[in-house]
Amino acid sequence: MTRPPRRAGWLRWTVPAVLALLLATFLAGGWLLAGSRAQLDGTRRFARLAHPVTIERDALGTATLSGQSRDDLDFALGYVHAQERFFEMDLMRRMAAGELSELVGPAALDVDIDHRRHRLRAVTEAAYAQLPAAQRHQLELYAAGVDAGLAALRVRPWEYLLLRAKPQPWKPADSLLVIAAMYFDLNGDGRNERELHIAQMRAALPGAVADFLLSPDPTWEAPLDGDLSRAPYPPGADVLDLRQAKPAAADAKLAAAMASATGAERPGSNSFAVSGRLTTSGAALLANDMHLGLRVPDIWFRTRLRYPDATAPGGQRDVVGVSLPGTPAMVVGSNGQVAWGFTNSYGDWLDWVRVQRDPHDPARYKVPGGWAEIRTHQETIRIKGAPSRTLVVEDTRWGPILGKDTDGTPLALAWIAQQPRAYDLGLMQLERAGSARQALDLAPGFGMPPQNLLVADREGHIGWTIAGNGIPLRNGFDPQRPADWSQPGTGWTGWAAPAQYPRIEDPAGQRLWTANNRTVGGAALALLGNGGHDLGARAQQIRDDLHARAGFGPGSLLDIQLDDRAVFLRRWQQLLQRTLARADDPALAQLRRLTAAWRDHASPDSVDYRLVRAFRAQVKAAALAPFVAIVQRRFPGFAWPRLADPEAAVWELVSRQPPNLLDPRYKDWNALLLDAARHVTDTLGREPGGLAARRWGEINHAGIDHPLARALPGVLARFLDMPDDELPGDRDMPRVAAPGFGASERLDVAPGHEAHGILEMPGGQSDNPLSPYYGAGHEDWVRGRPTPLLPGPAEHMLTLAPPAR
């Protein structure tokens, strides 16, 4: 009898052992993951509560909190947020404070350095100390609820197991750091590189040329008030003649950089409203979809709050919408009397200040009336798995020194987020607003990033203003350029009073709209400034959609939110067809055929949309290349200013075709256009399937991932991420969509008629993959299916109660 080979015997016991080990690991991981799920049923008792609070959850995980006071709900909301979202809350406070490296390691060091320079932890702690006692009390209750919710988990949130870290307690001032994180997100990450690059353009190019290239486009503007901008006109050869200049290099990297800078996704939103005169119910209607980077779970949390309030109908306040985990505030929603929504205003909230150092003592700098000491701060950045890093921050009365002007002069950055007054819980007053007018009256007192606030009330009134208490009053300088504030009366001289805020109530047209575009003109625009307004095509399309209808319901507003018609690219499709009609090049025949039948939609299966879009991007890069090259010869690090869309200038160039402003490597403008068409054919045609297979959905997909997915193997990452669906939409139309970016919610509601309201939200409600609410509602968001605003029947109920007597 022959003996089995030793290898076979070894395998006989090794394979089962390995399988058993894998099974044990899987079961242990599942047990730990399950241990960090939120508790959905039962009773918990806490001394900080005066009365019981019930927390009901429906099929989507919407949390309905019912109690006898807002104080008790503050505690309970903190509890729920911590159980479902503590890791994401922690990321936001750490991001704002520049403390991510302590949790995730050196990969976050560059972000920490950029953010720590602003020392916003110190700012928010000072802000917390200055808050009214009632607001400090609210934050203390919320923080106590957060810590209670975290402690009640059987296992710490699973992300900390993966990172081998321990979650740190929540401090009351940490909620203000979450607001600071929104300042970073909405104000260009606090770097203001846009104005530095504009200053470089103005230093290297003739003034008339820089003005032309940076001109707004009246073709697409849709302000609520004020005139359209003047149409730009190309400067003549007496100002600049590129025929005498060195040809710009045909650089693919430059084209890509141009496309990235001028087409950058912008944190922003759509919001629009119609008065009760246009609705069947008589109540006004409001729509809001806030465009942000998308993740799993979503930044917002579906929430309903119910508590006694003598000013509410029937004596019971009922607020429904979305809250922001990390704060006790309802950010957008409806209280039965008033509905509200926000879009980023893109006013000018940052300025560069030239710091004139004392030549005899560099630690001093010139201020009105004399000299002041530069304050030096030693900031220690702790780094997981590596030695700590010390960052030296030089601070002035205007802000930290962060850059240099075109002549090398140090620059300090004045930013409203560095002011303690920029942080408070004023937004929470909207929960009790009884009318659109009252909501507008409250808005100038909110400590938050300045936003367009749209409101609608149950009596049919609508209104718009700027929400936020940080509109600086400027004097004696051009806010688009670094300036010397050492002269008396120059700089930020105070803050706008409520009476100075622009405001519109019940317009004659019965409709209001904002989409990050310029909303006003004249003195109001001078007050708010331009921090990178959207071109306006999206706002204009919304405006025209609103005027195309005589009557409205919530579904009507959702239809507008989902409008993916390619109005903005129509003229570019026509230009491409005219260009190709003149071409005697068989290689371009397929491009002409594929873009001839214009479907006019940014739908996933649209080949024509993708090709025309690529043509525009290449024409833009080629037309601007010689100007960029001139600036880069003087400032090698120059990049096109972010959010400065050159559409007006480029369209004027390709329409008027001035020979003095053409890159000399082209014999005429038609040659530039044909070269752009060939570039599209060459680059996209070489991919599998050729031009005919280049569908829009191939590159426009969801990309909505968990923050830790990149650190995990592919199978586990796919388990955490949302399906990578192909999406309709783009940036210059109401339905904004890009990989990892888009509508973080879609809200449609008439106050008093919330039962007919809609609230869609991507990414789900919980951050635990084993939760029934992980990804809940995401599919409706992808498909644009109306999801009810009000919660459905309760499937779970947890009671938080004071100690038994």
Side-chain angles (χ1 to χ4, degrees):
M1 179 174 170
T2 55
R3 283 176 112 181
R6 290 186 178 180
R7 180 182 302 171
W10 180 79
L11 289 174
R12 188 174 298 161
W13 65 264
T14 301
V15 171
V18 170
L19 292 175
L21 180 61
L22 290 174
L23 178 61
T25 302
F26 177 78
L27 292 174
W31 183 84
L32 291 172
L33 195 58
S36 65
R37 283 185 303 184
Q39 181 179 351
L40 304 180
D41 298 288
T43 300
R44 291 273 186 169
R45 297 188 179 275
F46 299 99
R48 295 300 295 265
L49 289 172
H51 301 92
V53 175
T54 60
I55 304 168
E56 297 177 332
R57 287 178 169 88
D58 69 351
L60 293 176
T62 306
T64 298
L65 284 68
S66 302
Q68 294 304 304
S69 70
R70 188 55 162 96
D71 278 1
D72 285 339
L73 295 193
D74 288 334
F75 178 91
L77 189 58
Y79 184 95
V80 173
H81 282 168
Q83 292 230 316
E84 299 281 20
R85 299 285 192 87
F86 185 84
F87 178 67
E88 290 72 27
M89 294 161 55
D90 193 15
L91 290 183
M92 290 188 76
R93 67 172 170 177
R94 287 178 178 275
M95 185 273 283
E99 298 171 358
L100 282 170
S101 298
E102 185 177 8
L103 180 65
V104 303
L109 181 58
D110 288 344
V111 173
D112 278 354
I113 290 173
D114 279 346
H115 291 189
R116 186 68 71 86
R117 293 184 194 278
H118 298 283
R119 304 184 65 250
L120 293 191
R121 179 171 287 281
V123 173
T124 53
E125 287 174 351
Y128 175 75
Q130 297 175 16
L131 287 178
Q135 291 192 22
R136 290 200 305 273
H137 180 61
Q138 285 184 291
L139 291 178
E140 288 164 4
L141 285 170
Y142 179 81
V146 170
D147 288 342
L150 187 62
L153 294 173
R154 178 164 55 84
V155 178
R156 65 184 183 268
W158 66 271
E159 295 94 343
Y160 296 93
L161 298 174
L162 190 65
L163 293 169
R164 291 178 293 177
K166 182 180 179 181
Q168 299 300 307
W170 194 263
K171 300 176 182 177
D174 288 346
S175 292
L176 303 184
L177 277 174
V178 173
I179 299 175
M182 299 308 297
Y183 274 99
F184 275 114
D185 203 9
L186 299 170
N187 291 176
D189 208 29
R191 301 173 70 177
N192 205 22
E193 290 181 328
R194 176 178 177 274
E195 288 186 8
L196 286 181
H197 294 317
I198 289 175
Q200 291 171 340
M201 288 180 68
R202 295 194 180 282
L205 296 168
V209 174
D211 289 343
F212 170 70
L213 294 173
L214 295 169
S215 295
D217 194 338
T219 304
W220 298 110
E221 289 180 325
L224 296 175
D225 187 38
D227 297 329
L228 298 181
S229 300
R230 294 175 56 186
Y233 193 87
D238 58 323
V239 177
L240 179 65
D241 192 345
L242 293 177
R243 290 170 293 191
Q244 312 302 319
K246 179 181 178 182
D251 189 345
K253 290 184 179 179
L254 173 62
M258 286 297 306
S260 174
T262 59
E265 308 305 342
R266 60 173 64 232
S269 310
N270 300 330
S271 195
F272 43 101
V274 295
S275 82
R277 294 185 183 182
L278 303 178
T279 69
T280 54
S281 69
L285 265 169
L286 176 124
N288 184 231
D289 44 297
M290 296 181 283
H291 307 146
L292 296 168
L294 303 180
R295 68 184 190 198
V296 180
D298 191 40
I299 186 173
W300 313 117
F301 191 79
R302 299 177 71 102
T303 306
R304 185 181 190 183
L305 304 178
R306 299 191 296 189
Y307 56 95
D309 180 0
T311 66
Q316 182 77 7
R317 182 60 65 192
D318 191 343
V319 189
V320 62
V322 298
S323 57
L324 173 60
T327 78
M330 295 289 285
V331 177
V332 301
S334 177
N335 68 11
Q337 295 170 286
V338 177
W340 65 94
F342 295 105
T343 67
N344 198 13
S345 62
Y346 282 97
D348 188 1
W349 316 125
L350 308 93
D351 281 315
W352 288 109
V353 184
R354 290 169 60 87
V355 179
Q356 309 289 345
R357 290 185 187 267
D358 184 342
H360 305 292
D361 183 0
R364 300 200 310 164
Y365 65 104
K366 191 175 181 182
V367 297
W371 300 90
E373 294 290 328
I374 292 177
R375 300 184 300 275
T376 300
H377 304 279
Q378 305 281 338
E379 292 287 320
T380 300
I381 300 177
R382 296 182 177 87
I383 307 169
K384 180 181 177 181
S388 296
R389 176 86 168 263
T390 298
L391 177 69
V392 178
V393 179
E394 290 187 305
D395 210 356
T396 71
R397 64 169 58 181
W398 306 302
I401 297 175
L402 298 181
K404 292 183 179 181
D405 202 354
T406 54
D407 62 357
T409 299
L411 294 176
L413 183 64
W415 181 23
I416 60 173
Q418 296 158 354
Q419 304 292 326
R421 72 192 315 275
Y423 304 91
D424 65 31
L425 299 183
L427 169 64
M428 294 178 65
Q429 297 175 81
L430 288 176
E431 289 183 21
R432 292 185 169 92
S435 66
R437 175 164 294 179
Q438 185 180 357
L440 296 176
D441 288 343
L442 294 169
F446 299 168
M448 58 179 282
Q451 302 286 290
N452 293 302
L453 169 66
L454 244 62
V455 293
D457 70 25
R458 66 186 300 169
E459 304 302 322
H461 303 291
I462 58 176
W464 164 88
T465 191
I466 296 294
N469 64 14
I471 299 179
L473 297 176
R474 296 177 167 94
N475 186 63
F477 72 101
D478 179 355
Q480 292 292 305
R481 307 184 190 208
D484 180 3
W485 290 11
S486 67
Q487 301 305 311
T490 301
W492 291 1
T493 58
W495 303 94
Q500 295 175 280
Y501 277 56
R503 175 167 168 163
I504 298 173
E505 291 184 73
D506 294 328
Q510 312 302 320
R511 300 162 175 86
L512 290 170
W513 58 90
T514 69
N516 315 124
N517 56 306
R518 175 174 69 83
T519 53
V520 291
L525 177 59
L527 174 68
L528 302 180
N530 178 7
H533 293 136
D534 185 76
L535 182 68
R538 178 160 43 95
Q540 188 181 104
Q541 193 163 332
I542 292 171
R543 179 201 66 187
D544 294 347
D545 283 348
L546 289 171
H547 282 287
R549 299 169 185 256
F552 296 86
S556 309
L557 300 192
L558 180 61
D559 289 342
I560 296 174
Q561 290 172 309
L562 299 177
D563 182 5
D564 63 3
R565 290 176 303 123
V567 175
F568 175 65
L569 283 188
R570 286 174 183 170
R571 67 182 186 180
W572 284 94
Q573 184 266 347
Q574 295 166 5
L575 175 63
L576 176 58
Q577 284 294 301
R578 291 196 301 270
T579 299
L580 296 176
R582 297 191 295 266
D584 185 19
D585 187 347
L588 297 175
Q590 186 184 27
L591 178 61
R592 183 182 182 187
R593 176 174 55 80
L594 290 172
T595 57
W598 181 238
R599 296 172 57 192
D600 204 30
H601 282 271
S603 54
D605 63 346
S606 175
V607 174
D608 55 321
Y609 182 83
R610 182 176 177 186
L611 297 181
V612 171
R613 190 181 192 275
F615 171 70
R616 174 185 177 261
Q618 188 58 32
V619 170
K620 184 168 61 174
L624 297 176
F627 306 105
V628 173
I630 291 172
V631 183
Q632 286 182 337
R633 287 179 195 129
R634 181 168 173 183
F635 305 105
F638 170 77
W640 191 266
R642 186 175 179 271
L643 306 181
D645 196 319
E647 174 71 14
V650 172
W651 189 256
E652 285 295 308
L653 290 173
V654 299
S655 300
R656 299 183 183 276
Q657 302 193 351
N660 64 298
L661 298 181
L662 174 68
D663 189 330
R665 71 190 186 93
Y666 299 107
K667 69 175 184 177
D668 56 33
W669 281 96
N670 191 56
L672 181 149
L673 296 172
L674 283 172
D675 185 72
R678 292 190 184 96
H679 183 272
V680 172
T681 299
D682 293 343
T683 55
L684 298 183
R686 71 168 65 108
E687 297 179 23
L691 281 181
R694 301 284 72 80
R695 303 161 56 259
W696 175 235
E698 186 179 34
I699 60 172
N700 201 59
H701 45 86
I704 302 175
D705 303 335
H706 190 280
L708 293 184
R710 293 181 183 178
L712 297 174
V715 174
L716 292 178
R718 287 191 292 274
F719 173 63
L720 293 176
D721 298 340
M722 292 296 102
D724 201 18
D725 297 288
E726 295 182 351
L727 297 178
D730 199 2
R731 65 184 299 270
D732 288 305
M733 56 190 61
R735 187 167 190 168
V736 170
F741 186 88
S744 59
E745 45 76 59
R746 297 188 187 106
L747 171 71
D748 303 286
V749 62
H753 303 269
E754 287 77 11
H756 303 292
I758 296 168
L759 177 58
E760 299 177 356
M761 202 175 82
Q765 184 84 330
S766 174
D767 79 344
N768 191 299
L770 297 185
S771 167
Y773 308 126
Y774 192 82
H778 177 81
E779 181 69 12
D780 285 348
W781 176 87
V782 170
R783 306 303 168 200
R785 292 194 293 255
T787 308
L789 168 63
L790 287 183
E795 296 186 348
H796 300 276
M797 187 173 77
L798 173 69
T799 300
L800 307 184
R805 294 180 180 178

